[in-house]
Amino acid sequence: MDENLEKWVRNFLKSKEESIFSRFIICEMGFSGEDDKKTDEEIRRDAFLEFGKRTGHKKFAATQTMKRWFGLEGFSCPSRETLFEICFALKLTVAETERYLMQGIFEPTFQVNDYAEVFYFYGLENGKSYEEISEMISAYEEILAEYFFKDGRMADVSFSTKELKKELYLVKRCSKENFMLWMRDHARVFKGYSQTTQTYLEKLRERIYENSISDLRSTLEARLAEIGYPGWAVKHAENYKTTGDAVRVYLKILKK
């Protein structure tokens, strides 16, 4: 497939993923999108305003970017880190946050080998603010820098994710002081974001893109054949830099 056309397809598929988040967050704000008395844009704007009320009008990003989360003036979706901040502002539970991660932005649930996400888990479980948890993370990073880093790296420790999660559920309701002690005692376990999971997701998304591109290419070739493009291309396609340019010119010719 032409490189420009493939790039367009990839961007198209990405926009679809981002538009799905807009539908998700609109429903979360209590709007089904089936109000016959309102236009689609009015529903999106009402959902955006409701989001502002529920989050105390906090600016998680530029206003234009936040509007795109709701499908206003384009589409976009928040990063994983920003989504956690949103969940704190909405005062969500751990279970609700997991749903936002998996159904909202199509990412895995809490990564318990990422110390920041363990703190987020603890904060959401205990109704703490994002700011308070950010302070705890900063304090913890000072502990790491002072006691546990050697040559810029943490020492490897054999400790499975399953075991770590099991212990986390035992201490999830303890005091801040005791939780910090537990985190300190397990400092060598945390590796940051799960690279295995991230790699798997990237490969899965790449496979989806490739399959979608293949399907679209077959459909496009069939449609072009129906309108006589192959015969025209034999004589004229070489005059154009890319296949995409040739197709666009041919379609303009047909419209005349």
Side-chain angles (χ1 to χ4, degrees):
M1 178 183 287
D2 176 76
E3 184 177 343
N4 291 337
L5 185 57
E6 182 173 334
K7 183 178 179 181
W8 179 87
V9 172
R10 288 179 181 275
N11 290 335
F12 173 77
L13 293 171
K14 186 174 185 295
S15 70
K16 284 296 183 183
E17 185 174 288
E18 291 172 341
S19 70
I20 290 173
F21 177 77
S22 75
R23 292 198 296 273
F24 173 84
I25 194 66
I26 287 170
C27 288
E28 288 298 312
M29 293 302 107
F31 297 85
S32 66
E34 299 177 354
D35 191 336
D36 295 334
K37 298 180 180 179
K38 295 182 179 180
T39 65
D40 179 68
E41 184 171 356
E42 287 174 334
I43 291 172
R44 293 177 184 276
R45 291 192 180 279
D46 287 348
F48 175 69
L49 293 174
E50 178 64 21
F51 177 79
K53 292 178 183 177
R54 294 192 189 186
T55 59
H57 300 285
K58 186 172 182 178
K59 290 203 69 173
F60 303 97
T63 300
Q64 186 177 10
T65 298
M66 292 172 60
K67 284 184 175 181
R68 287 200 292 267
W69 296 345
F70 293 81
L72 294 168
E73 303 173 19
F75 292 100
S76 181
C77 61
S79 66
R80 185 179 180 89
E81 175 64 31
T82 301
L83 189 70
F84 278 119
E85 190 175 358
I86 290 171
C87 291
F88 273 98
L90 291 172
K91 295 180 170 58
L92 301 185
T93 64
V94 166
E96 289 169 335
T97 300
E98 289 178 327
R99 185 161 52 79
Y100 269 63
L101 286 167
M102 294 186 287
Q103 298 179 24
I105 62 174
F106 301 101
E107 292 207 4
T109 184
F110 291 89
Q111 300 299 290
V112 295
N113 57 354
D114 181 330
Y115 64 81
E117 295 201 9
V118 172
F119 274 107
Y120 294 149
F121 178 94
Y122 175 78
L124 291 162
E125 182 69 30
N126 293 279
K128 300 187 181 300
S129 69
Y130 181 79
E131 289 71 24
E132 184 176 1
I133 292 302
S134 294
E135 290 177 2
M136 290 179 69
I137 291 174
S138 295
Y140 182 68
E141 287 174 342
E142 290 181 8
I143 293 174
L144 294 181
E146 184 175 355
Y147 296 108
F148 294 99
F149 278 96
K150 182 178 181 181
D151 299 326
R153 296 184 179 183
M154 286 190 202
D156 291 331
V157 174
S158 178
F159 203 89
S160 72
T161 300
K162 184 177 181 180
E163 291 173 320
L164 183 62
K165 185 177 292 186
K166 184 177 180 180
E167 286 202 20
L168 175 60
Y169 273 83
L170 293 176
V171 299
K172 65 180 182 179
R173 290 294 182 88
C174 68
S175 66
K176 285 174 59 176
E177 294 74 17
N178 287 336
F179 187 74
M180 288 292 281
L181 288 173
W182 181 84
M183 290 292 292
R184 186 199 65 183
D185 292 341
H186 292 76
R188 295 185 184 277
V189 176
F190 300 113
K191 312 283 186 182
Y193 187 84
S194 172
Q195 189 60 45
T196 300
T197 301
Q198 182 66 21
T199 300
Y200 173 79
L201 282 174
E202 289 175 354
K203 288 183 177 179
L204 181 60
R205 285 181 174 175
E206 186 66 26
R207 187 180 304 170
I208 291 172
Y209 284 140
E210 289 175 355
N211 290 340
S212 299
I213 289 171
S214 178
D215 290 342
L216 286 171
R217 179 174 57 195
S218 298
T219 301
L220 178 59
E221 289 174 349
R223 296 294 180 270
L224 289 174
E226 290 175 0
I227 60 175
Y229 172 76
W232 179 88
V234 171
K235 298 179 180 179
H236 305 284
E238 62 181 16
N239 297 325
Y240 301 94
K241 187 174 181 180
T242 67
T243 302
D245 290 339
V247 170
R248 283 187 283 273
V249 169
Y250 184 68
L251 292 177
K252 287 181 181 180
I253 293 173
L254 292 182
K255 288 181 180 180
K256 293 181 180 180

